[in-house]
Amino acid sequence: ETGVTQTPRHLVMGMTNKKSLKCEQHLGHNAMYWYKQSAKKPLELMFVYSLEERVENNSVPSRFSPECPNSSHLFLHLHTLQPEDSALYLCASSQDQGSGAEAFFGQGTRLTVV
Amino acid sequence: AQSVTQLDSHVSVSEGTPVLLRCNYSSSYSPSLFWYVQHPNKGLQLLLKYTSAATLVKGINGFEAEFKKSETSFHLTKPSAHMSDAAEYFCVVSDLWDSGGYQKVTFGIGTKLQVIP
């Protein structure tokens, strides 16, 4: 295991639902990330947190709301999603925000919006 | 601006034959370059990295890559493919840190490697 755990692994939700994705890292890292992986597109960075403070918000729609209560946990709260939001959502962590290219990834949450 | 191009979306090799996955990059500065692997239903795992030291970089599982500045390339190779190498491989470039100290990273679109028995 990589030390980054994501739950749930699979999620199907309706467009009016509210759900949350959870990520936990056991590596003692100070930076955590949310990425979106869609078919035939490069990995898209959504959010970066460093020491529980958001340092990057990559023009992500407000229907995605991140939360980082401490340096080991990261959440992605979802509400009123669209079908095009269906994708694999990956959480990652790195030693610090300056080493984001050397990240440890979780296995991802496969999200389907119906 | 930084960008990365993976020249093949799919590569198919026979078990025991060499692997070549191609990556070209564009960078305004001296880039750091990385290869990641993603096995089915798994997250991404760092294979190897180049950060301005030796141009030939060795990674895990017998993979290596050579940084060629004149060709702006960072191709991934392995002398002999194993069935367990079947996965998707991502080339990554980074040459920027924003004002907040966050390292900007650009991923390639990925190359799926199929290994035929």
Side-chain angles (χ1 to χ4, degrees):
Chain A
E1 291 297 330
T2 62
V4 179
T5 305
Q6 289 186 243
T7 54
R9 293 292 308 278
H10 300 272
L11 178 63
V12 179
M13 59 185 289
M15 289 189 285
T16 58
N17 291 161
K18 289 185 180 181
K19 296 286 184 182
S20 296
L21 310 185
K22 178 182 177 182
C23 176
E24 184 174 0
Q25 59 100 356
H26 307 278
L27 300 168
H29 288 167
N30 292 322
M32 296 187 76
Y33 310 80
W34 280 116
Y35 282 91
K36 177 182 179 182
Q37 186 176 29
S38 305
K40 300 183 180 180
K41 293 177 69 176
L43 217 61
E44 300 173 57
L45 179 67
M46 300 176 71
F47 300 102
V48 181
Y49 275 83
S50 176
L51 296 171
E52 303 138 50
E53 289 192 20
R54 190 190 307 179
V55 297
E56 179 76 4
N57 175 359
N58 235 5
S59 302
V60 179
S62 60
R63 57 186 182 269
F64 295 91
S65 175
E67 178 190 2
C68 188
N70 55 62
S71 60
S72 298
H73 293 86
L74 185 65
F75 295 89
L76 187 62
H77 304 299
L78 315 171
H79 64 96
T80 59
L81 293 191
Q82 304 299 311
E84 60 264 28
D85 296 322
S86 298
L88 182 69
Y89 288 84
L90 292 166
C91 174
S93 70
S94 65
Q95 188 62 54
D96 52 53
Q97 63 179 357
S99 57
E102 298 179 59
F104 290 76
F105 284 79
Q107 292 180 290
T109 295
R110 174 69 63 187
L111 174 67
T112 303
V113 181
V114 297
Chain B
Q2 60 186 26
S3 67
V4 62
T5 302
Q6 292 186 244
L7 298 163
D8 306 294
S9 58
H10 289 83
V11 169
S12 183
V13 301
S14 297
E15 190 176 17
T17 65
V19 175
L20 171 63
L21 305 182
R22 298 182 294 165
C23 173
N24 285 100
Y25 69 90
S26 174
S27 171
S28 303
Y29 307 98
S30 296
S32 295
L33 293 154
F34 309 81
W35 277 98
Y36 278 83
V37 61
Q38 185 178 29
H39 290 278
N41 302 314
K42 300 285 188 182
L44 279 72
Q45 180 185 14
L46 183 64
L47 263 183
L48 50 79
K49 64 179 181 181
Y50 165 79
T51 54
S52 77
T55 56
L56 182 62
V57 180
K58 294 187 185 299
I60 61 173
N61 300 333
F63 284 94
E64 61 182 38
E66 187 171 7
F67 173 72
K68 293 187 176 181
K69 186 175 181 179
S70 60
E71 298 176 11
T72 61
S73 70
F74 190 59
H75 301 334
L76 182 69
T77 60
K78 183 173 180 177
S80 175
H82 296 163
M83 294 300 296
S84 60
D85 295 327
E88 191 160 18
Y89 293 79
F90 296 89
C91 184
V92 177
V93 64
S94 176
D95 65 2
L96 296 171
W97 279 257
D98 79 354
S99 57
Y102 150 66
Q103 185 179 23
K104 290 185 177 289
V105 177
T106 300
F107 282 79
I109 203 165
T111 297
K112 287 190 177 176
L113 176 65
Q114 180 186 21
V115 182
I116 302 168

